[in-house]
Amino acid sequence: MNDSDPFASPLRVPTATRPLLGLTILMVEDSRYACEAMRLLCLRSGARIRRADCLKSARRHLQIYRPSVLIADLGLPDGSGADLIEELAHTTPRVGVILGTSGDEFGEDTAIAAGADGFLAKPITSLAVFQSAILSKIPADRHPSGPRVLRDEIIDPDPIAYQDDMAHVADVLTDTCDGKTLDYVAQFVGGVARSASDTVLANAARDLAEARATGAPVATDAARVAGLIQERLERRKAI
């Protein structure tokens, strides 16, 4: 499981309070809000983090170095994270730990079927759950010696990252609004809104996804999502 990141510092020994010291985590995630949560989780755990916001970017990262752990969101702007998981699960040398993540109720089944070692359900906010998901998959010699300090700390990302996600979706809807784009918007907005406990927006995204899935008219649902996003961007301007 040696990290082959050419920019990494010498291997550090994990400790009871920072059990992931020495690991590099590549987070393949398009949401800045989700990445901010992951950054804080890694910071408190001792792990280094690198981010790729799409499949293309992730593959560029992997041409340069091999992370200790890869966490791939299943819904990405240029395809499914499950495709990357399946690809890496059969690549030699293999990434030590491959985890899928999603807010979709069927996400775990999809990730495991693709070859993931485990799954992290969104929102990923519990420090204890995050550390356990990784430690349970790595060799014992990469664990801290002695008892581990279990801190059930809940991570609260910066709200500005949520606003950045809203701006991203607004740009996507401005560029194009075909069926594929609406599917991506519904998935992305739904996951981010649930992570931020934005129930109104999460419900609107769910309704849009259901309309797309059933072939029902989507104009009203798409306009509702777009309007709610603009409301949240206006709040940012007010601040």
Side-chain angles (χ1 to χ4, degrees), residues 134-153:
I134 294 175
L135 289 170
S136 66
K137 304 299 180 184
I138 65 175
D141 62 2
R142 298 299 297 268
H143 288 220
S145 59
R148 179 164 63 95
V149 177
L150 286 173
R151 295 185 298 170
D152 195 15
E153 181 180 349

Side-chain angles (χ1 to χ4, degrees), residues 22-218:
L23 301 184
T24 295
I25 295 174
L26 175 58
M27 181 71 177
V28 188
E29 170 64 69
D30 50 342
S31 164
R32 290 188 178 275
Y33 190 77
C35 282
E36 174 63 8
M38 184 60 61
R39 184 187 71 82
L40 295 173
L41 289 165
C42 288
L43 179 66
R44 285 160 173 74
S45 303
R48 296 180 295 269
I49 182 170
R50 296 184 180 275
R51 180 200 177 202
D53 60 3
C54 63
L55 295 175
K56 183 178 180 180
S57 177
R59 291 186 174 111
R60 285 200 301 265
H61 276 268
L62 291 164
Q63 287 176 351
I64 299 172
Y65 71 97
R66 187 68 50 176
S68 315
V69 180
L70 180 134
I71 302 175
D73 182 33
L74 298 188
L76 295 165
D78 55 350
S80 171
D83 294 336
L84 180 63
I85 290 172
E86 184 172 11
E87 178 182 321
L88 294 177
H90 298 92
T91 297
T92 303
R94 187 184 187 279
V95 173
V97 177
I98 302 173
L99 302 176
T101 182
S102 173
D104 187 276
E105 61 180 312
F106 303 111
E108 183 170 8
D109 293 339
T110 301
I112 298 302
D117 301 306
F119 183 78
L120 284 165
K122 289 184 178 181
I124 309 169
T125 57
S126 168
L127 185 62
V129 169
F130 168 70
Q131 292 178 354
S132 294
I134 294 175
L135 289 170
S136 66
K137 304 299 180 184
I138 65 175
D141 62 2
R142 298 299 297 268
H143 288 220
S145 59
R148 179 164 63 95
V149 177
L150 286 173
R151 295 185 298 170
D152 195 15
E153 181 180 349
I154 300 300
I155 298 299
D156 187 18
D158 189 332
I160 295 298
Y162 186 63
Q163 295 288 342
D164 288 343
D165 282 345
M166 296 297 101
H168 165 64
V169 177
D171 288 342
V172 169
L173 289 172
T174 299
D175 291 340
T176 182
C177 203
D178 57 19
K180 184 177 180 180
T181 300
L182 290 177
D183 288 340
Y184 169 71
V185 166
Q187 174 272 324
F188 179 88
V189 172
V192 174
R194 286 191 296 272
S195 296
S197 299
D198 189 340
T199 304
V200 173
L201 184 55
N203 289 341
R206 178 203 61 205
D207 292 343
L208 175 58
E210 290 179 353
R212 284 286 302 155
T214 60
V218 298

